[in-house]
Amino acid sequence: MPDTLAFDPTRLRFGVGQPVPRQEDPMLLRGEGRYTDDISLPNQAWAIIVRSPFGHGVIKNIDIEAAKEMPGVLGVYTAADMADYAPMRCALPLKSRDGSPLAPITRPPLASDKVRFVGDPVAFVVAETKAQAKDAAEAIFLDIDTLDAVIDAPSAAAPGAPQLYDHVPGNLVLDFVAGQPEQVAEAFAKAAHVAKLELTNNRIVVAPMEPRSAIGEFDPESGRFTLHVGSQGVFGMRNAMAEVMKVPLEKLRILTRNVGGSFGMKAGPYPEYACLMHAARALGRPVKWTDERTGSFQSDGQGRDHEVVAELALDAEGKFLAVRVTSWSNIGAYITNVGPMMGTANFFKNIQANYATPAIEVATKVVVTNTVPIVAYRGAGRPEGNYFMERLIETAAASMGIDPIELRRKNHIRPDQFPFAAPTGSHYDGGDFTAVMEQALAEADWNGFEARKAETEKKGWLRGRGIGNFLECTAPPTKEMGGIRFEEDGSVTIITGTLDYGQGHWTPFAQVLHSQLGVPFEKIKLLQGDSDELIAGGGTGGSKSLMASGAAIIEASALVVEKGKQAASHFLEAAAVDIEFEDGRFTIAGTDRGIELMDLVAKLREAGDSLPADVPRTLSVKHIFDQAPMAYPNGCHIAEVEIDPETGHVQVVRYHTVNDFGVIVNPLLVQGQAHGGIVQGIGQAIMERVAYSEDGQLLSGSFSDYALPRAADVPSFGFSSHAVPAKTNPLGAKGCGEAGCAGSLPAVMNAIVDALSPYGVKHINMPARPETVWAAIHGAK
């Protein structure tokens, strides 16, 4: 790898480490963002998806004749029309404990034999206008013999439960186990103390601001599709949809512009996208679809949903001996591209957290149910692993009469233990976990809590404090493009396969390039949403974007410098070996003769073909960063809550975090990412829960029935950094996008249990909604 920085970035106003405002914000605040629904193509038609109103049933007939005769209707399509396309599938190499692979469940673009959840697409209508398409969709008659439904994982696996697939007995798609089961069993057998909890990881609606939307196009002359769609990476989306459409990769182009949130949900393919491209080819015109919020609640992939038994074995002094997690994972009606990952491999990787636990076992039964399929949701199993461990620690400390802070100190991985080989297979390259926690305790005024508690009690309320240590294993950066293109107008374009869906990639990526090459910050552009421009792309997800794209930009910059030395040697009439580069300028070593990089680019363009053969015509490069190990962001969150015992209402009133995100390129953006994750964690902890009726009807199907946190529901957040640079990537970054969830779930829930402890409450499950808290108080009484 090249040196991480060519020169001291602190001398640059827009260099690495500076809190530079997001470049796209003025455009977005002026309403000039261009989202998929903002796009209207000439002669486009509109599509409306017809969804199953039943949770489970056999399709007997779909009568489309009346719909076909409606005004403006161009086409009505069912599964028979889509039969030539490939189904979507999950390619994860997960295996059951007996060595058998993940059950072969695939998802067609439209349901043909059965409907398996409310919202399952069964048909679609294309018309001249959206209103006409909606009218025609309502004229379609569905003849479905309803079947009994099952909505939770343990019930789905019970004898006699409704079966979603004939070839998947017991609805069990994976019986997963990982770790050291024999060593864990021995540790529990000899343990002086065992802490045990039953925990619910409540199902979440993702609810991005922008609903899913897409436009399909087809060019009959080239035989090429174009799909305009919100995504988390056009390279991966192209690969997935080309497989569904059964076309070579070069016959499909994916275009993504601004994306109004995703959190994992828009990363993979959906049935609607194949339907739109089919209709575009069949009708010879673009076809557009934008979901409405009800359709989003019914069809967008949802998050979480696990029932867990977690156990921690300790010796008489409080040293951790082993941790064991036994869980049910409800992945919904179909297996998405990552659906089984969260409750299996990601639980296993992240239950370790920042503790020196010598043995770990995770055993998960993954089942299908008559609910919306599960996808990745911010953290995707990583916050949960930390939540389980932190709740176990609090439970163990209470039962053993040990200060929970001291119990954490005793079991933290120490700095002298790095590099640390975890029993999960992870290799932690560094950290300072106890120091991070001590800093958080001091800055959050842990010792001043009793005075604040006394003030709260004066108004008859309860007050509690909670700590949430966390360490998460990011997704390992895969191959990623680092393109640097010098444009004719004097600007410089970064081309990369990660994709910003709200994070603000443009600014930090430009800071990295600015620090490496000294290119004027205001001249830097970002191209990220066109699959035709990419030669690689891992997309954005798993908190790896800066580690992947940042490394790719650094390596690509080194190639620009090497080409620049060759070019500068020609114009400066010196040997290339004598050319040096610093602060955006090529100079002859030992002299003041030199040329600015941007001036050199202009001279190369002017000279064109008159240049000698050994002089590059351009400094532009297309480079592929060849992946890196995962990183391990970590930190400590401390929350304080107030609870009204008369109503059970919980309010988070104080919050402070200290984080080790390694090298921070832009502190302003990192704080924003932390804030967003914290708020989503608070939402899951005290508000959010997807609810179904016994027959599979979605009861929380709108914002009238599903609570999201608002600004008034959260306090101001304290944020500090205690950085230990990562050794796994050239930037030294560790990722930060999902860490807010990882710390907030345990911090908030530990604070709630602490507040309720005077009543003898030892545990409460998420979400700690008013009725749940009130019941816990009165049940304890």
Side-chain angles (χ1 to χ4, degrees):
M1 289 183 178
D3 293 337
T4 57
L5 293 172
F7 48 86
D8 182 4
T10 61
R11 288 183 283 163
L12 299 171
R13 178 185 172 194
F14 300 107
V16 169
Q18 303 302 310
V20 183
R22 293 175 13 143
Q23 296 198 83
E24 62 268 46
D25 282 352
M27 173 192 69
L28 296 175
L29 292 170
R30 290 193 299 264
E32 297 170 0
R34 192 155 171 79
Y35 299 84
T36 305
D37 190 54
D38 293 322
I39 302 167
S40 291
L41 301 178
N43 198 37
Q44 76 180 13
W46 274 91
I48 291 293
I49 307 297
V50 180
R51 303 187 184 281
S52 169
F54 307 111
H56 198 194
V58 177
I59 299 174
K60 306 298 290 185
N61 183 45
I62 301 176
D63 188 347
I64 63 174
E65 294 307 313
K68 289 165 65 176
E69 301 303 319
M70 297 284 285
V73 170
L74 302 170
V76 183
Y77 305 92
T78 63
D81 301 292
M82 305 295 293
D84 290 338
Y85 301 112
M88 294 172 289
R89 63 188 180 91
C90 177
L92 292 174
L94 296 171
K95 293 184 181 299
S96 290
R97 64 177 71 222
D98 64 2
S100 60
L102 192 67
I105 293 176
T106 58
R107 185 181 185 183
L110 294 174
S112 60
D113 57 341
K114 292 174 70 175
V115 292
R116 293 180 170 89
F117 70 97
V118 171
D120 210 352
V122 295
F124 69 102
V125 177
V126 181
E128 294 286 356
T129 69
K130 186 174 184 179
Q132 290 172 330
K134 290 181 73 172
D135 287 343
E138 291 174 359
I140 293 176
F141 178 75
L142 302 180
D143 183 4
I144 297 176
D145 280 353
T146 59
L147 300 170
D148 289 340
V150 62
I151 59 172
D152 67 90
S155 298
Q163 298 296 290
L164 272 71
Y165 300 90
D166 293 339
H167 67 287
V168 184
N171 296 312
L172 183 67
V173 300
L174 184 71
D175 184 9
F176 175 88
V177 65
Q180 306 82 37
E182 292 184 3
Q183 187 178 342
V184 168
E186 292 175 3
F188 274 89
K190 70 179 183 182
H193 298 275
V194 173
K196 182 176 181 179
L197 285 172
E198 295 184 7
L199 305 108
T200 296
N201 185 29
N202 39 317
R203 181 179 279 241
I204 297 295
V205 165
V206 178
M209 287 190 291
E210 178 202 21
R212 283 191 298 122
S213 178
I215 305 174
E217 290 186 87
F218 181 73
D219 179 5
E221 292 187 8
S222 64
R224 195 165 193 248
F225 290 100
T226 298
L227 181 67
H228 307 258
V229 65
S231 73
Q232 293 185 197
V234 293
F235 198 82
M237 183 65 80
R238 183 200 63 177
N239 294 351
M241 290 310 305
E243 179 178 310
V244 172
M245 300 304 293
K246 294 184 177 180
V247 296
L249 294 177
E250 64 272 13
K251 293 297 183 180
L252 176 59
R253 183 186 190 188
I254 302 292
L255 291 173
T256 295
R257 293 169 177 82
N258 292 116
V259 180
S262 174
F263 312 109
M265 185 268 291
K266 296 175 185 172
Y270 280 86
E272 295 88 350
Y273 307 157
C275 294
L276 295 172
M277 287 190 281
H278 170 80
R281 177 163 58 182
L283 299 174
R285 58 194 292 188
V287 180
K288 181 176 181 176
W289 164 77
T290 298
D291 211 350
E292 296 178 348
R293 193 58 70 175
T294 296
S296 294
F297 270 88
Q298 292 181 339
S299 67
D300 290 350
Q302 296 176 353
R304 315 302 198 210
D305 205 340
H306 305 93
E307 299 294 331
V308 175
V309 175
E311 302 168 276
L312 177 65
L314 307 92
D315 69 13
E317 284 72 46
K319 292 289 286 184
F320 298 168
L321 301 177
V323 64
R324 180 165 56 200
V325 173
T326 307
S327 65
W328 292 99
S329 174
N330 176 1
I331 61 167
Y334 298 96
I335 306 177
T336 64
N337 58 333
V338 294
M341 178 65 77
M342 284 71 78
T344 56
N346 281 6
F347 275 13
F348 179 59
K349 285 286 186 184
N350 290 276
I351 190 69
Q352 177 87 43
N354 46 27
Y355 303 103
T357 310
I360 293 174
E361 178 187 0
V362 169
T364 303
K365 294 186 184 298
V366 181
V367 299
V368 286
T369 67
N370 297 114
T371 60
V372 174
I374 288 292
V375 295
Y377 174 73
R378 199 167 192 163
R382 304 201 297 277
E384 297 94 312
N386 287 273
Y387 168 60
F388 304 152
M389 179 60 91
E390 290 295 291
R391 285 296 299 125
L392 283 171
I393 291 171
E394 292 289 322
T395 302
S399 65
M400 297 176 69
I402 299 176
D403 177 8
I405 302 300
E406 183 56 36
L407 188 58
R408 289 177 170 89
R409 290 190 188 105
K410 184 187 293 286
N411 288 283
H412 271 154
I413 301 166
R414 303 185 310 273
D416 63 4
Q417 290 179 285
F418 293 109
F420 181 82
T424 59
S426 292
H427 293 272
Y428 298 175
D429 57 306
D432 199 356
F433 306 141
T434 302
V436 167
M437 183 179 71
E438 302 293 354
Q439 183 179 337
L441 293 170
E443 294 182 2
D445 189 23
W446 183 266
N447 293 334
F449 170 75
E450 293 302 328
R452 294 189 293 276
K453 181 177 181 180
E455 288 298 313
T456 298
E457 290 174 345
K458 288 180 181 179
K459 59 181 181 182
W461 283 34
L462 308 170
R463 193 178 187 109
R465 62 182 175 181
I467 186 170
N469 275 344
F470 77 90
L471 179 146
E472 58 172 5
C473 304
T474 69
T478 53
K479 292 181 183 294
E480 189 55 74
M481 181 175 176
I484 300 174
R485 189 168 68 201
F486 294 89
E487 310 288 4
E488 292 188 5
D489 63 0
S491 63
V492 182
T493 300
I494 298 170
I495 306 171
T496 185
T498 57
L499 198 143
D500 169 10
Y501 45 91
Q503 295 90 339
H505 287 177
W506 183 1
T507 299
F509 290 179
Q511 288 177 257
V512 173
L513 183 64
H514 179 61
S515 294
Q516 291 293 295
L517 296 180
V519 172
F521 184 80
E522 66 279 3
K523 296 285 189 181
I524 301 173
K525 301 176 181 178
L526 178 63
L527 195 163
Q528 56 181 346
D530 185 349
S531 62
D532 279 2
E533 296 282 356
L534 300 179
I535 56 175
T540 292
S543 299
K544 68 180 187 301
S545 294
L546 187 64
M547 296 185 292
S549 288
I553 292 167
I554 287 174
E555 293 185 351
S557 296
L559 297 176
V560 169
V561 170
E562 289 305 309
K563 292 179 71 174
K565 288 180 178 179
Q566 290 291 330
S569 71
H570 169 72
F571 290 105
L572 297 176
E573 299 180 335
V577 294
D578 294 329
I579 302 296
E580 296 177 343
F581 180 76
E582 186 176 3
D583 288 5
R585 180 178 173 83
F586 294 95
T587 58
I588 302 174
T591 77
D592 59 358
R593 289 185 59 214
I595 184 171
E596 299 290 330
L597 183 146
M598 297 305 289
D599 291 338
L600 178 59
V601 169
K603 282 185 172 293
L604 288 173
R605 183 171 290 115
E606 292 170 4
D609 292 336
S610 66
L611 292 167
D614 61 344
V615 177
R617 268 54 178 170
T618 177
L619 299 190
S620 298
V621 300
K622 291 183 178 181
H623 174 67
I624 296 178
F625 168 65
D626 193 21
Q627 59 197 5
M630 63 181 64
Y632 306 98
N634 61 89
C636 180
H637 291 210
I638 295 177
E640 293 185 18
V641 303
E642 287 187 337
I643 298 176
D644 179 356
E646 296 298 320
T647 65
H649 175 72
V650 177
Q651 182 71 41
V652 181
V653 293
R654 280 173 67 95
Y655 206 100
H656 194 86
T657 75
V658 175
N659 302 281
D660 173 11
F661 295 142
V663 172
I664 294 179
V665 172
N666 188 312
L668 188 66
L669 271 65
V670 167
Q671 287 191 46
Q673 285 292 293
H675 291 176
I678 291 168
V679 173
Q680 286 183 279
I682 290 173
Q684 181 178 359
I686 66 176
M687 295 181 181
E688 300 183 51
R689 179 177 68 92
V690 175
Y692 284 93
S693 66
E694 289 185 359
D695 60 354
Q697 289 294 327
L698 183 61
L699 300 178
S700 52
S702 73
F703 288 133
S704 296
D705 312 297
Y706 186 88
L708 287 177
R710 304 181 182 184
D713 297 314
V714 298
S716 295
F717 302 118
F719 179 93
S720 295
S721 178
H722 185 109
V724 179
K727 300 179 178 68
T728 56
N729 63 85
L731 264 177
K734 290 184 176 178
C736 68
E738 294 156 297
C741 283
S744 58
L745 291 183
V748 172
M749 293 308 296
N750 282 338
I752 292 171
V753 173
D754 181 56
L756 298 177
S757 60
Y759 294 96
V761 175
K762 297 180 180 180
H763 179 69
I764 189 169
N765 268 319
M766 302 185 295
R769 291 152 63 108
E771 66 271 22
T772 306
V773 175
W774 186 91
I777 291 172
H778 288 267
K781 282 182 179 180

